Amino acid sequence: MSTKKRLLLPPFGALRAFAAYGHAGGVRKAAEYLGVSHTIVGRHLRTLEDWVGVALIDRASGTLTQKGLAYHEEIIRALDGLSHATERLRPRMDESIRISCVSGFASLWLAGRVGAFRRSEPSVNLVVRPFDRFPDFDRDDLHADIRYLRDKELESFPPGFKKVQLARPAMFPVASPDLATEVAGRLRTITDLLAEPLIEAEDSQEWHIFLSGHKVSPALFVPFGRLGHASITLAAARHGQGISLANIFLAWDDLQRGTLVRVTLPGQAFRRVFIGGYYLIAPESNWNRPQFARFRNWMTAEVASFLARETP
């Protein structure tokens, strides 16, 4: 009677952390890729080294040891094999496109156009999930992601992915009609904005860049409120709570309805200041998937059409 040999497998989480570390080149970058804390990644790496009894990472340089490099190549091949086996087992994966999307773009622009995609591609089931972090495509069961990336974030873009820039919109200040009318009498130069209630999203980065683009020292900026996401700052601006920065994708519906208006200076226009862009991102293995290619082509064309029609 034959007996099967028991498989010697380290914890799967430790293997995934090691695979991500080898790809990203650091604990923090691997943590960002996996959507976990760097502490968890560090613990997984120590667990794996204890389990195999071999040093996989040179702690002085942060690079993989010779044995670590060889093991990493084998791990990647094994994980790719698991991924391909799962794809073959789940034929329905090709019948739908599951997209994560930064929440502001999803709710304020994309949600109003999913019907257009459905009419254009009736055989493709589009699922959109709002994500405010870079997703783990395997764990979150996603094909692609739409994300706003600041220019500096492109420098640390993780390997193993492809991306296409959808748009690079300029930023501009908006407020409720009543507040815009109230502050109009006080605004003569860009510096006068600093005395008004300026609402920021996430941190002061966007206002800092906007002010610097107008030759105003960002050190003078004191935020009136920090409200997390762009969609929340726009909601506050809509209620007359302050002035928020926006772009044409986030503010267009409000501008059309008149619930928000552009804040302007008398006799002059704000400079066009660019902070980042919207990108469609997917793992390289998904990039040429037929259904995703159809969504990618539709998305790039829809954004281009919108910008051609609506950008002043």
Side-chain angles (χ1 to χ4, degrees), residues 66-138:
Q66 186 174 356
K67 290 185 177 179
L69 283 169
Y71 189 50
H72 186 265
E73 291 178 2
E74 300 243 14
I75 292 300
I76 293 300
R77 283 197 293 269
L79 292 177
D80 285 345
L82 286 172
S83 176
H84 294 153
T86 303
E87 286 187 11
R88 290 191 294 270
L89 187 64
R90 299 180 62 195
R92 289 192 63 190
M93 285 188 74
D94 282 332
E95 298 173 8
S96 65
I97 294 296
R98 293 181 294 280
I99 307 292
S100 59
C101 184
V102 62
S103 59
F105 188 87
S107 62
L108 298 174
W109 190 83
L110 183 58
R113 289 162 177 81
V114 292
F117 175 75
R118 184 67 176 174
R119 290 188 294 272
S120 174
E121 300 288 350
S123 65
V124 181
N125 179 31
L126 175 64
V127 179
V128 180
R129 301 173 185 165
F131 269 53
D132 288 312
R133 60 169 174 82
F134 191 73
D136 180 322
F137 289 87
D138 293 331

Side-chain angles (χ1 to χ4, degrees), residues 19-273:
Y21 182 93
H23 267 315
V27 171
R28 292 188 181 277
K29 291 181 180 179
E32 291 176 4
Y33 169 70
L34 294 173
V36 299
S37 73
H38 69 278
T39 304
I40 291 176
V41 171
R43 184 164 63 244
H44 279 321
L45 295 175
R46 289 192 296 273
T47 296
L48 183 61
E49 287 186 315
D50 289 344
W51 205 95
V52 299
V54 172
L56 302 173
I57 300 169
D58 182 341
R59 294 304 191 278
S61 64
T63 59
L64 299 183
T65 63
Q66 186 174 356
K67 290 185 177 179
L69 283 169
Y71 189 50
H72 186 265
E73 291 178 2
E74 300 243 14
I75 292 300
I76 293 300
R77 283 197 293 269
L79 292 177
D80 285 345
L82 286 172
S83 176
H84 294 153
T86 303
E87 286 187 11
R88 290 191 294 270
L89 187 64
R90 299 180 62 195
R92 289 192 63 190
M93 285 188 74
D94 282 332
E95 298 173 8
S96 65
I97 294 296
R98 293 181 294 280
I99 307 292
S100 59
C101 184
V102 62
S103 59
F105 188 87
S107 62
L108 298 174
W109 190 83
L110 183 58
R113 289 162 177 81
V114 292
F117 175 75
R118 184 67 176 174
R119 290 188 294 272
S120 174
E121 300 288 350
S123 65
V124 181
N125 179 31
L126 175 64
V127 179
V128 180
R129 301 173 185 165
F131 269 53
D132 288 312
R133 60 169 174 82
F134 191 73
D136 180 322
F137 289 87
D138 293 331
R139 185 184 65 189
D140 297 319
D141 196 21
L142 296 167
H143 294 112
D145 178 61
I146 299 172
R147 192 131 312 267
Y148 185 84
L149 298 176
R150 294 172 179 166
D151 294 341
K152 287 187 176 181
E153 292 176 297
L154 295 174
E155 299 172 4
S156 58
F157 190 78
F161 296 91
K162 298 186 74 172
K163 64 182 182 299
V164 60
Q165 186 184 91
L166 298 173
R168 183 175 168 79
M171 303 296 291
F172 51 86
V174 295
S176 68
D178 288 345
L179 182 59
T181 300
E182 177 187 331
V183 304
R186 299 193 291 263
L187 296 181
R188 291 293 178 267
T189 68
I190 180 68
T191 307
D192 294 332
L193 265 180
L194 295 170
E196 302 299 334
L198 305 182
I199 308 171
E200 64 179 6
E202 299 291 343
D203 52 40
S204 60
Q205 187 82 24
E206 292 186 346
W207 273 112
H208 276 199
I209 296 173
F210 183 80
L211 292 168
S212 296
H214 289 83
K215 310 301 181 184
V216 175
S217 172
L220 302 174
F221 168 64
V222 178
F224 181 73
R226 291 184 173 93
L227 297 178
H229 303 300
S231 57
I232 305 177
T233 67
L234 290 177
R238 206 176 293 127
H239 288 287
Q241 301 302 299
I243 300 172
S244 174
L245 280 177
N247 63 53
I248 197 65
F249 291 91
L250 301 180
W252 181 254
D253 285 347
D254 279 301
L255 294 174
Q256 289 293 93
R257 291 192 298 263
T259 47
L260 287 174
V261 298
R262 291 174 181 256
V263 174
T264 59
L265 298 175
Q268 59 182 303
F270 287 112
R271 296 179 180 180
R272 290 173 61 79
V273 176

Side-chain angles (χ1 to χ4, degrees), residues 287-308:
W287 194 256
N288 292 319
R289 185 187 296 272
Q291 261 76 346
F292 173 67
R294 287 156 68 182
F295 173 78
R296 185 177 73 242
N297 292 337
W298 173 84
M299 188 69 185
T300 53
E302 185 71 13
V303 169
S305 177
F306 169 77
L307 291 174

